[in-house]
């Protein structure tokens, strides 16, 4: 089923939406719509969010899409525009104990993740160094190995 999104509600960094977006994020309802540079100037396009929602977007003539544009906001869900491709960080725990530690940290930090075999793929919403700092002891101890950052 396609979600039709008409117009821009605001920006995800607007103070007016901070509390609502925090609530939605805390409950895992933030979806990111990655818009490639080739579509950034278009007024109508169709893309899929990072959570698999098919979105048909239409903008008014006077609206310009920006990174962080808020296209949908409900009590339990929000769709936010990000320009470019989704950056990922692939991590491999070296043992079951390390996997539990990594999983606990990822969940506690509310990281958006997916799995590729025995790798934990973290979908980055900010600088990689910020994520690395949060699990620095695991990385330094060799319990977690970085596969790559894309």
């Amino acid at each position: 089923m396609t979600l039709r999104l008409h117009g821009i509600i605001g920006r995800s960094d607007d103070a007016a939406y901070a509390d609502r977006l925090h609530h939605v994020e805390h409950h895992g309802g933030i979806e990111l719509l990655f818009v490639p540079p080739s579509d950034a100037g278009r007024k109508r396009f169709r893309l899929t969010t990072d959570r698999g929602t098919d979105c048909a977007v239409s903008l008014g003539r006077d609206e310009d899409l920006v990174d962080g544009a808020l296209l949908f906001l409900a009590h339990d869900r929000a769709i936010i525009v990000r320009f470019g491709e989704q950056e990922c960080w692939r991590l491999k725990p070296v043992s079951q104990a390390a996997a539990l530690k990594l999983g606990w940290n990822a969940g506690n930090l509310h990281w958006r993740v997916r799995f590729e075999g025995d790798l934990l793929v973290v979908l980055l919403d900010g600088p990689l160094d910020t994520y690395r700092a949060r699990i620095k002891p695991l990385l330094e101890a060799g319990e977690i190995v970085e596969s790559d950052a894309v």
Side-chain angles (χ1 to χ4, degrees), residues 103-115:
W104 182 87
N105 278 282
N108 196 41
L109 295 167
H110 302 284
W111 287 354
R112 295 179 313 109
V113 301
R114 66 175 185 247
F115 300 94

Side-chain angles (χ1 to χ4, degrees), residues 50-61:
D50 64 335
R51 301 260 176 110
T53 303
D54 181 33
C55 298
V57 179
S58 62
L59 304 174
R61 290 182 198 211

